[in-house]
Amino acid sequence: MKKTISIVAIFFYSFLTADAQLPNPALVGYWQNWNDGNAPYIQLDQVDSRYNVIDIAFAVPHAGTDYQMEFIPDQVSSATFLSQVQTLQSQNRKVILSLGGATSPVSLDNFTERDTFVSTVNAIINTFNFDGIDIDFEGSSVSITGGTISTPVDAKIINLIDAIKQIMGNYYAIHQKRLILTMAPETAFVHGGMSAFGGIWGAYLPVIDALRDSLELLHVQLYNSGSMYGIDGNVYSQGTADFIVAMTEAVIRGFNTAGGMFSGLPADKVAIGLPACTNAAGGGFTDTAAVRLAIEYLRGTGPQPGSYVLLQTGGFPSLRGMMTWSVNWDAVNSCGPVYGYAANYEHIFGNLNTGIHLFSDASTQLLYPNPAKEFISIFNCSENGETLEVYNSIGELVRLTFINPENKTINISDLPAGIYLIRQEDKEGRFSKL
């Protein structure tokens, strides 16, 4: 068995960010709360252990409304479902309530609808002890008629932003910890802003921008998309390595729209969203080899797989992980190997069950890779150099290394497998915030 060590960085961050952080890296899988003959129901506590973030699909509007949300477990009782949620949480996995979906429009057109949405989502979260919410509004749920990214004018956009803030505030008041927030927009709602800013085109951008400090993970659906512009001005087609690379760099580096500049998100807030197999989506399935090549290039660990050239030299080592629709489709052998998507994730990002993963600052990853086997690299080193102290789990100093921008790689091949803590000081003896 290969040894693996895990490292926890000790530094100053906000209590809320530390409490709410998702696993790093993350494998997000949507779990279908219904039985489908082609992708059958799976008991929640039987989801493959490599999925460390499970999005429950979906909470939807009560019949006759598009704002009063409800969630009713299928196949099992509410008590059994809650027990299954708790089982996953006991395994250090996060269970998130996904709101909306492709067939259930949600529209908060006025304050009354906004407040009803807030109260009903709060009730669902508290009933089933979910760790967070995922905004998966599609179709007519999110659209714009004017304004800009920074100053939206449409009631449904403004009310959605306000509602999410209220839900998160209510959760913290009750539980004294932060509610996880993720989003899964379609490409037209994000990248589409490069070609137009109106209707659904770019419609998610004001929501992402307004909630960027609270948002922990964005996994755009890189499927059912057709072609989209990259930030290099060229058009790329779904189902290719180039599409994955181009769309991912766009949301990290940002891009200009008729509604203003969209400032990108840190790479550790971005995951790659793809179908689990050919039948899981209408289009956009990308074969395993192409996915691996694309992500390795994005992370700076592999060669360029197509024509798209990353503008970011060295790529994005802190890219957060992968998402798929859905766990149920990944589990069947009718359109691919059983749990082939999870296996490909594991091949790219490494074994999930190797101890505590790095807690990073909201805007950057500090150590890479983590967990590690041979070497770790330190990011954001001071120009003046800093001392890195590595301690084992009983507090013994096991490594003392001087690092600077020219020498930021540490050999840990001689350390036994386990969980380690680091402390970093500058030349004046001050703790660094990395």
Side-chain angles (χ1 to χ4, degrees):
M1 177 182 293
K2 293 183 178 179
K3 68 174 185 131
T4 301
I5 75 168
S6 297
I7 302 165
V8 178
I10 301 178
F11 52 92
F12 300 103
Y13 47 49
S14 74
F15 172 77
L16 291 180
T17 300
D19 249 11
Q21 194 162 34
L22 285 167
N24 189 2
L27 177 59
V28 182
Y30 283 82
W31 173 86
Q32 297 173 202
N33 181 44
W34 63 85
N35 188 48
D36 180 333
N38 295 313
Y41 184 92
I42 300 172
Q43 292 296 326
L44 183 60
D45 57 1
Q46 297 303 306
V47 170
D48 186 276
S49 62
R50 287 168 288 194
Y51 285 97
N52 55 11
V53 181
I54 296 90
D55 282 358
I56 304 302
F58 296 99
V60 299
H62 181 74
T65 79
D66 56 8
Y67 56 88
Q68 182 180 334
M69 306 302 287
E70 64 181 11
F71 174 75
I72 303 171
D74 196 32
Q75 308 292 314
V76 299
S77 68
S78 292
T80 297
F81 182 81
L82 175 58
S83 176
Q84 293 175 340
V85 169
Q86 293 169 335
T87 295
L88 294 181
Q89 291 168 333
S90 73
Q91 299 165 356
N92 295 317
R93 298 201 269 176
K94 301 298 183 182
V95 186
I96 294 176
L97 176 67
S98 187
L99 307 173
T103 60
S104 301
V106 179
S107 184
L108 311 182
D109 298 316
N110 53 58
F111 291 162
T112 299
E113 294 183 359
R114 178 200 65 189
D115 293 345
T116 301
F117 175 84
V118 168
S119 63
T120 52
V121 171
N122 283 338
I124 299 169
I125 292 170
N126 293 326
T127 297
F128 296 106
N129 196 33
F130 289 117
D131 296 299
I133 55 173
D134 172 67
I135 309 304
D136 188 10
F137 287 11
E138 302 184 23
S140 61
S141 298
V142 182
S143 61
I144 50 178
T145 62
T148 66
I149 291 173
S150 60
T151 56
V153 297
D154 294 280
K156 65 169 61 178
I157 299 294
I158 296 169
N159 289 334
L160 173 59
I161 293 167
D162 290 345
I164 294 172
K165 289 179 179 179
Q166 288 185 39
I167 291 166
M168 295 188 74
N170 293 337
Y171 184 88
Y172 185 78
I174 294 172
H175 301 280
Q176 294 300 295
K177 62 180 181 179
R178 186 172 174 177
L179 185 72
I180 293 170
L181 174 64
T182 68
M183 296 184 191
E186 296 172 283
T187 54
F189 292 80
V190 179
H191 303 85
M194 283 186 271
S195 55
F197 190 75
I200 67 171
W201 302 97
Y204 250 87
L205 296 177
V207 181
I208 296 169
D209 187 64
L211 297 168
R212 63 172 57 244
D213 291 339
S214 300
L215 180 64
E216 295 197 43
L217 195 60
L218 176 74
H219 31 67
V220 178
Q221 300 175 36
L222 302 182
Y223 50 94
N224 296 337
S225 167
S227 300
M228 287 285 155
Y229 277 104
I231 55 177
D232 61 354
N234 295 319
V235 176
Y236 295 93
S237 299
Q238 65 178 2
T240 65
D242 272 341
F243 191 75
I244 295 171
V245 175
M247 297 304 103
T248 302
E249 184 167 48
V251 296
I252 296 173
R253 289 185 63 97
F255 48 84
N256 198 32
T257 77
M261 183 69 187
F262 170 68
S263 299
L265 296 172
D268 64 0
K269 288 191 174 189
V270 177
I272 310 298
L274 295 166
C277 64
T278 53
N279 295 341
F285 172 75
T286 312
D287 69 79
T288 297
V291 172
R292 185 161 61 245
L293 288 170
I295 297 178
E296 288 175 350
Y297 180 49
L298 278 164
R299 299 178 75 209
T301 62
Q304 179 183 335
S307 62
Y308 185 88
V309 179
L310 283 172
L311 300 182
Q312 177 72 33
T313 303
F316 307 96
S318 59
L319 188 69
R320 195 54 169 271
M322 296 165 62
M323 173 275 278
T324 194
W325 179 267
S326 65
V327 172
N328 306 65
W329 279 108
D330 200 20
V332 299
N333 62 5
S334 57
C335 62
V338 173
Y339 285 116
Y341 194 89
N344 199 32
Y345 166 84
E346 188 173 26
H347 181 92
I348 297 168
F349 285 92
N351 196 324
L352 294 172
N353 302 311
T354 51
I356 300 173
H357 292 278
L358 168 70
F359 291 107
S360 67
D361 178 272
S363 63
T364 183
Q365 172 122 347
L366 310 177
L367 308 176
Y368 180 80
N370 183 44
K373 297 176 182 178
E374 304 295 335
F375 297 90
I376 55 173
S377 294
I378 312 299
F379 292 84
N380 287 357
C381 305
S382 167
E383 292 294 330
N384 297 320
E386 295 166 338
T387 299
L388 185 77
E389 299 171 350
V390 181
Y391 294 85
N392 63 19
S393 60
I394 61 173
E396 296 174 331
L397 180 66
V398 295
R399 182 74 79 254
L400 180 66
T401 304
F402 183 76
I403 59 171
N404 58 47
E406 285 70 46
N407 176 33
K408 59 182 182 180
T409 299
I410 301 172
N411 188 334
I412 46 83
S413 60
D414 60 321
L415 296 179
I419 297 173
Y420 292 79
L421 309 178
I422 71 165
R423 192 175 83 157
Q424 192 167 347
E425 292 184 354
D426 63 18
K427 282 188 172 181
E428 285 71 40
R430 296 171 300 191
F431 288 109
S432 299
K433 178 180 178 181
L434 302 180

